[in-house]
Structure formats: C-alpha cells, structure tokens
C-alpha cells in the first residue's frame, strides 16, 4: 500500500525565534514547487520559536509541530506546555517520547501514553518515537524493547485514534551519531513494528500508519531508506537545521517514495 511520504525536522534545542523564521523563509522558497500531495513537510522548532515559524510558514507547504506536550489541561506544572496552548497557536503535530526525553528527562512509556492521549484530545497529530539502545540491539532484544514501548505507549488507544498517529522508529544508537541503520536493517524493524500494529489493530489500520525512520538520515541515504516498503519518511535532527540540506533530503526521499 502506498502511504504518503512524511519528512519532519526535529530542531531540538536549536534556533531562536529570529533564526527559525529565517530558516523557514529560506526553506519555504526551496520547497515551493514540491506538491503537498506527495509529501508532508513538517518542522518542529522549540516552543519559543513556534510563533515566528508559524507566521513564516503561513501559505506555504510547510507544517509545524512541537517537540513535547504535557498531559494536563492546565495547572501547577512549571515549565510545561499544554495541548490547548499548542492548538491555539496553530500547531498541527507534536513529537512524543523522543529518546532524548526518555534518556535525560525521565520519560517513560506511561508518560508517553498520557501525553499521547492529551495530543489526541486536543486534535494534534502525534509523532510517537520508539527505539532501542545499542546494547539492546546487540543482545537481540530489539523487537522485545519495541513491543514494550508500543504496548505501553499505545495503551487504551482505539483503532480510530491509531489512524491519526505517526510512529517514528529511531534506533538510539543512530541518533546524532552519523551511524545509520542500513536500509535492510531498518526495513526489517519497520516490518516488525507494522506486524505489531497489525496484531493489535488489524491489517487495514496498520497499512495506513506512517512509520518514519530517524537516526542520521541525510540527503545521501534518504532515497535508499524510503524506497523500503515499510519506511514512509523520516524524522530528521541535524540535517533539518540547514535549508539546503533539508531540501536535498526531501527531494531525494521523493525519488525513493512509492507515492
Ligand atoms: C532525531 O533527533 O530525531 C534525529 C533522528 O536526529 P539525527 O537526524 O541528528 O540523528
């Protein structure tokens, strides 16, 4: 089944409001001729850069996401941001459970699940990140780790809601390291993720779900990765911070896309 390509840039803690605006001004000109029917192009800046990026992206084919969401609607949660706050700004997507959140900020499958429910309740499109550590891959535990993350992260999520969710498979050992999973290794894991989703939600739903690859994806490897049957796009860190690199990655991914 041909799923629409989705390329999302995770800017992490990079780009001030003015820098983000400048990046999107450059990017929107560079991708202006790419048909939004072929690819969803998303940028996910830090919270403080969302407003200037949303303004700069207006009328373009660039969509905007946040990098986190709290599960409560409001209240005494210093430093956190609610779904209503994101929605009111005009944000469309939200990254949930990135490995850096899991590693440095105590994110668990349970908090991923709570944040996911808050995103859905606020009509935001969630990008749920999963992925194994190097030692887990080396000891043959990859599928078990992913199954645990999927079962916990997607607990109580209905099939109707599942269709609104994007999964980003990001092997932790490939994030920001320059080490990419080979297209074959990545595909084998994406296939496993889709089979987990098929068991839980049925083939019709699982076939519709976009599963992105993330981990040192760049303009040199995007085509080969995306040409795999179960790899529907990418979540991109480093290579999304320079307009020319991100544009080249998108154009090369389009060459590999079945859509
Ligand atoms: C990421 O942060 O989600 C990521 C994949 O980073 P990088 O592309 O830099 O490996």
């Amino acid at each position: 089944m041909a799923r629409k390509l989705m390329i999302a840039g995770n800017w992490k803690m990079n780009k001030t409001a003015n820098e983000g605006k400048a990046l999107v001004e450059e990017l929107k000109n560079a991708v202006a001729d790419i048909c939004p029917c072929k690819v969803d192009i998303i940028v996910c800046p830090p919270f403080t850069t969302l407003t200037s990026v949303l303004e700069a992206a207006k009328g373009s084919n660039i969509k905007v996401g946040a990098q986190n969401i709290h599960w409560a609607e409001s209240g005494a949660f210093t430093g956190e941001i609610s779904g209503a706050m994101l929605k009111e700004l005009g944000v469309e997507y939200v990254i949930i459970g990135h490995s850096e959140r899991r590693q440095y900020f105590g994110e668990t499958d349970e908090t991923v699940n709570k944040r996911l429910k808050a995103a859905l309740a606020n009509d935001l499109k969630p990008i749920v990140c999963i992925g194994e550590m190097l030692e887990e891959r080396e000891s043959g535990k990859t599928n078990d780790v992913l199954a645990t993350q999927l079962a916990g992260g997607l607990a109580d999520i209905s099939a109707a809601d599942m269709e609104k969710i994007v999964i980003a498979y990001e092997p932790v050992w490939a994030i920001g390291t320059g080490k990419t999973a080979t297209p074959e290794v990545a595909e084998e894991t994406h296939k496993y993720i889709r089979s987990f989703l098929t068991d839980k939600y049925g083939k019709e739903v699982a076939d519709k779900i976009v599963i992105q690859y993330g981990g040192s994806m760049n303009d040199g490897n995007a085509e080969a990765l995306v040409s795999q049957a179960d790899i529907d796009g990418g979540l991109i860190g480093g290579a999304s911070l320079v307009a020319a690199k991100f544009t080249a990655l998108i154009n090369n991914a389009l060459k590999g896309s079945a859509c």
Side-chain angles (χ1 to χ4, degrees):
M1 175 180 179
R3 287 167 293 269
K4 189 166 157 193
L5 183 67
M6 182 182 284
I7 303 287
N10 172 16
W11 291 4
K12 311 192 187 195
M13 198 175 71
N14 293 293
K15 306 290 177 189
T16 64
N18 284 340
E19 289 166 350
K21 178 173 183 271
L23 175 51
V24 170
E25 295 290 358
E26 201 183 338
L27 184 63
K28 77 176 176 190
N29 291 329
V31 300
D33 291 337
I34 300 177
C35 179
C37 60
K38 293 202 167 143
V39 53
D40 287 317
I41 302 171
I42 304 159
V43 295
C44 302
F47 290 131
T48 50
T49 303
L50 283 168
T51 302
S52 69
V53 160
L54 280 158
E55 191 57 34
K58 246 183 213 151
S60 77
N61 53 7
I62 299 171
K63 300 170 182 205
V64 180
Q67 296 175 18
N68 197 9
I69 176 177
H70 194 264
W71 50 84
E73 283 174 28
S74 62
F77 299 102
T78 303
E80 292 290 326
I81 302 283
S82 76
M85 291 169 184
L86 297 174
K87 192 70 193 171
E88 190 182 270
L89 284 184
V91 167
E92 200 175 333
Y93 290 84
V94 60
I95 298 171
I96 297 173
H98 190 278
S99 64
E100 287 150 15
R101 301 285 325 162
R102 294 177 188 257
Q103 217 173 330
Y104 306 132
F105 301 102
E107 193 84 63
T108 63
D109 296 329
E110 193 187 344
T111 57
V112 167
N113 184 248
K114 287 162 89 168
R115 294 182 203 278
L116 173 59
K117 287 172 180 164
L120 291 166
N122 285 282
D123 205 19
L124 293 159
K125 296 173 188 159
I127 300 175
V128 176
C129 303
I130 57 171
E132 81 286 2
M133 314 277 278
L134 183 59
E135 55 276 22
E136 292 167 336
R137 173 155 290 269
E138 286 177 344
S139 57
K141 293 193 187 124
T142 298
N143 290 357
D144 290 344
V145 169
L146 298 178
T148 302
Q149 291 177 346
L150 286 166
L154 301 177
D156 309 318
I157 298 298
S158 68
D161 277 340
M162 190 62 225
E163 290 189 13
K164 302 172 195 158
I165 298 170
V166 173
I167 301 289
Y169 167 58
E170 301 205 302
V172 180
W173 47 271
I175 297 179
T177 59
K179 280 187 206 158
T180 324
T182 62
E184 294 73 25
V185 166
E187 170 61 10
E188 187 184 39
T189 312
H190 279 235
K191 235 186 213 355
Y192 171 73
I193 294 166
R194 204 174 301 283
S195 77
F196 179 98
L197 297 172
T198 304
D199 290 347
K200 191 167 159 77
Y201 295 105
K203 184 167 164 38
E204 204 185 320
V205 173
D207 277 351
K208 287 185 197 154
I209 295 168
V210 168
I211 307 177
Q212 300 177 312
Y213 170 80
S216 300
M217 199 191 249
N218 57 41
D219 57 336
N221 57 30
E223 180 179 354
L225 284 161
V226 162
S227 61
Q228 300 293 320
D230 290 288
I231 302 182
D232 310 315
L235 182 56
I236 322 297
S240 69
L241 294 172
V242 176
K245 280 191 190 172
F246 197 46
T247 307
L249 186 157
I250 295 165
N251 281 318
N252 288 345
L254 276 165
K255 290 183 205 156
S257 167
C259 193

